[in-house]
Amino acid sequence: MPKIKTHSGAKKRFKISKGGKVMRSHANTGHDIKGRKSAKKKRNLRGTAVTDKTNTANIKRLIPYK
């Protein structure tokens, strides 16, 4: 069987945790981070989040070797 190609966009956006969960970064951190967003909002956007279970199988198919 030939190898499966990894999706370039997905490998930049997702990583798999030790337990097999798909981790992602938060949205709304691209620009205007200094102006209108409160310190609480920026602090909560800083870390990673777990993707929803409905999307996990599709994302794992895109990044098979990660």
Side-chain angles (χ1 to χ4, degrees):
M1 285 290 298
K3 284 185 165 183
I4 304 166
K5 285 197 173 181
T6 301
H7 191 278
S8 296
K11 73 181 175 188
K12 296 169 191 172
R13 288 173 172 84
F14 303 105
K15 66 174 192 160
I16 309 292
S17 66
K18 293 281 185 179
K21 294 178 181 175
V22 179
M23 306 301 289
R24 63 169 176 84
S25 59
H26 286 98
N28 303 315
T29 60
H31 62 88
D32 201 24
I33 197 84
K34 235 192 303 190
R36 287 176 228 160
K37 292 184 178 77
S38 65
K40 181 180 178 182
K41 175 80 169 173
K42 290 185 279 188
R43 188 168 58 246
N44 289 334
L45 291 173
R46 203 179 292 150
T48 57
V50 180
T51 56
D52 193 64
K53 63 180 181 179
T54 58
N55 299 321
T56 302
N58 289 331
I59 295 167
K60 282 187 176 180
R61 199 174 299 129
L62 295 174
I63 46 174
Y65 306 110
K66 199 162 184 187

